[in-house]
């Protein structure tokens, strides 16, 4: 069970957190990560646009509905899972537009619960941190340590 | 299972074949083979409440999207990594790229497993057989010339009915 990395993208498309837990993905410069985060933000919006059928109202099994029940149930959700031959990327978008990208092995089970736990850590240690400015890069030791403990225990 | 649409893009970023199956029986008669797809702009369209989006716009968006996703995947996972599919809450997009950079894209509902082997079969058994080996078809297919021939269309129809039961 391997978790490669976690990215957090702000609602404006900026990369505000970037953490690698396990080697296995290419090493990129921080500029490249910023660029990827920005382009992913755009691609996520396009995947919403491309929705061929109107979304089903109330789909209790989807990640977003479980983590954050939306009052706008008829809006299409963007990209949720991306699969490639080397990794699997789970994207969770909060109601305020912040996106959490979690890169794992292709056959990883229970990513939903993991994402939920990471979101909990984020709300506890980042959002409740009085010294954190929203939309700014996250530098929060407790959040780092929480993630470390959580990811290492599971792997 | 629900199949929404199927696209073939050539190496010049052009959509040379597109086909849409809408789940509602009302509009399923509108078979949009690529040569005619330009004529249906904004008229019956896809009727999903997206204002001003034509079928051609969809094709361009899908091409740009899979192109960027493919590049992103290669950047993150290394040169030998390939993009397979993505899923949103409403649909799933499957992707297959041939060594000649032709791209096969299929949109289905979210419950499908990866359709990459099927897309490969469409390429190997239908595209190569009926389009590439057709002596009357040109080498390149600008505007989709020579792709949507009768054999290919019929083969695709049979293949989909056979391997993807409704």
């Amino acid at each position: 069970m391997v978790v490669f990395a976690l990215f957090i993208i702000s609602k404006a498309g900026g990369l505000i957190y970037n953490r690698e837990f396990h080697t296995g993905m290419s090493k990129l410069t921080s500029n490249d990560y910023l660029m990827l985060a920005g382009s992913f933000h755009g691609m996520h919006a396009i995947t919403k646009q491309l929705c061929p059928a109107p979304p089903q109202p109330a789909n209790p099994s989807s990640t977003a509905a479980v983590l954050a029940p939306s009052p706008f149930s008829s809006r299409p959700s963007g990209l949720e899972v991306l699969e490639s031959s080397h990794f699997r990327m789970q994207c969770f978008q909060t109601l305020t537009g912040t996106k959490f990208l979690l890169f794992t092995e292709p056959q990883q089970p229970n990513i939903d619960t993991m994402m939920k736990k990471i979101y909990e850590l984020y709300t506890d240690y980042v959002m409740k941190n009085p010294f954190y400015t929203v939309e700014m890069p996250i530098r929060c030791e407790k959040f780092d340590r929480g993630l470390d403990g959580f990811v290492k225990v599971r792997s | 299972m629900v199949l929404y649409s199927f696209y073939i893009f050539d190496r010049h970023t052009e959509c040379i074949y597109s086909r849409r199956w809408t789940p509602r029986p009302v509009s399923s008669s509108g078979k949009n083979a690529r040569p005619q797809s330009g004529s249906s702009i904004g008229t019956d369209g896809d009727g999903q409440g997206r204002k001003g989006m034509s079928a051609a716009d969809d094709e361009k968006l899908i091409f740009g999207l899979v192109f960027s996703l493919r590049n992103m995947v290669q950047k993150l996972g290394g040169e030998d990594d390939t993009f397979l599919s993505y899923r949103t809450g409403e649909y799933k997009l499957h992707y297959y790229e041939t060594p000649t950079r032709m791209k096969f894209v299929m949109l289905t509902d979210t419950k499908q497993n990866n359709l990459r082997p099927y897309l490969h079969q469409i390429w190997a058994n239908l595209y190569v057989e009926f389009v590439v080996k057709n002596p009357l078809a040109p080498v390149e297919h600008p505007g989709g010339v020579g792709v949507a021939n009768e054999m290919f269309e019929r083969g695709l129809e049979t293949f989909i009915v056979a391997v993807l039961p409704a």
Side-chain angles (χ1 to χ4, degrees):
Chain A
M1 158 145 180
V2 180
V3 177
F4 292 124
L6 170 74
F7 291 5
I8 301 179
I9 301 176
S10 74
K11 67 178 174 214
L15 185 67
I16 54 173
Y17 189 77
N18 165 21
R19 183 78 186 280
E20 201 174 322
F21 298 108
H22 198 279
T23 51
M25 305 214 326
S26 307
K27 266 263 169 265
L28 297 178
T29 61
S30 34
N31 257 339
D32 280 341
Y33 283 125
L34 280 172
M35 257 162 54
L36 281 178
S39 40
F40 180 78
H41 185 70
M43 290 187 260
H44 190 270
I46 294 177
T47 57
K48 261 186 215 171
Q49 282 252 316
L50 283 174
C51 181
Q56 256 100 66
N59 180 7
S61 62
S62 82
T63 327
V66 174
L67 291 181
S70 165
F72 314 105
S73 55
S74 60
R75 239 195 285 172
S77 78
L79 194 153
E80 282 176 6
V81 180
L82 180 141
E83 285 174 76
S84 88
S85 48
H86 290 194
F87 64 83
R88 178 190 149 104
M89 184 188 86
Q90 181 97 16
C91 172
F92 166 60
Q93 187 174 28
T94 66
L95 278 182
T96 47
T98 310
K99 285 189 270 293
F100 289 72
L101 308 187
L102 193 64
F103 293 83
T104 60
E105 273 187 324
Q107 308 304 332
Q108 176 91 26
N110 293 332
I111 305 185
D112 286 2
T113 45
M114 224 160 147
M115 198 60 112
K116 191 174 173 175
K117 181 74 186 161
I118 289 173
Y119 186 43
E120 258 169 46
L121 288 171
Y122 170 80
T123 48
D124 279 349
Y125 295 137
V126 180
M127 296 318 281
K128 291 180 189 170
N129 180 351
F131 301 106
Y132 174 67
T133 329
V134 271
E135 302 286 298
M136 290 312 254
I138 298 169
R139 288 201 188 80
C140 225
E141 207 189 313
K142 267 211 129 165
F143 182 56
D144 287 347
R145 260 189 282 150
L147 278 178
D148 263 344
F150 170 64
V151 172
K152 290 223 171 92
V153 164
R154 302 192 122 227
S155 58
Chain B
M1 94 131 226
V2 186
L3 191 57
Y4 293 121
S5 48
F6 171 64
Y7 303 89
I8 305 178
F9 299 95
D10 71 359
R11 61 197 180 96
H12 307 295
T13 77
E14 195 178 351
C15 179
I16 56 172
Y17 183 78
S18 80
R19 182 97 188 244
R20 261 161 265 264
W21 297 267
T22 41
R24 287 166 304 155
V26 192
S27 49
S28 67
S29 57
K31 187 179 82 171
N32 278 340
R34 167 68 190 164
Q36 296 99 46
S37 65
S39 59
S40 68
I41 292 177
T43 50
D44 65 329
D46 32 22
Q48 308 296 336
R50 300 202 320 266
K51 294 167 287 294
M53 282 277 292
S54 70
D57 286 340
D58 260 5
E59 288 160 10
K60 284 174 199 153
L61 273 185
I62 288 180
F63 181 84
L65 182 68
V66 294
F67 185 81
S68 317
L69 283 175
R70 188 192 70 133
N71 286 353
M72 185 180 91
V73 162
Q74 275 184 356
K75 217 165 187 184
L76 285 169
E79 276 301 305
D80 55 338
D81 200 358
T82 46
F83 164 52
L84 302 175
S85 66
Y86 77 75
R87 178 177 71 70
T88 78
E90 288 78 38
Y91 68 97
K92 185 165 179 176
L93 180 143
H94 308 266
Y95 178 73
Y96 170 68
E97 184 172 337
T98 71
T100 50
R101 297 260 164 104
M102 292 197 48
K103 295 167 178 68
F104 288 69
V105 176
M106 197 176 261
L107 267 71
T108 66
D109 63 326
T110 54
K111 290 168 204 74
Q112 282 305 308
N113 284 325
N114 195 357
L115 292 184
R116 189 180 146 90
Y118 295 151
L119 291 176
H120 172 81
Q121 278 179 36
I122 290 178
W123 171 65
N125 297 335
L126 299 172
Y127 184 82
V128 171
E129 288 300 321
F130 299 136
V131 180
V132 176
K133 291 187 184 171
N134 180 0
L136 298 176
V139 180
E140 300 280 346
H141 308 277
V145 179
V147 181
N149 62 50
E150 199 189 334
M151 291 291 278
F152 181 74
E153 294 262 7
R154 221 189 298 154
L156 187 66
E157 193 76 31
T158 333
F159 179 80
I160 281 161
V161 171
V163 301
L164 305 171

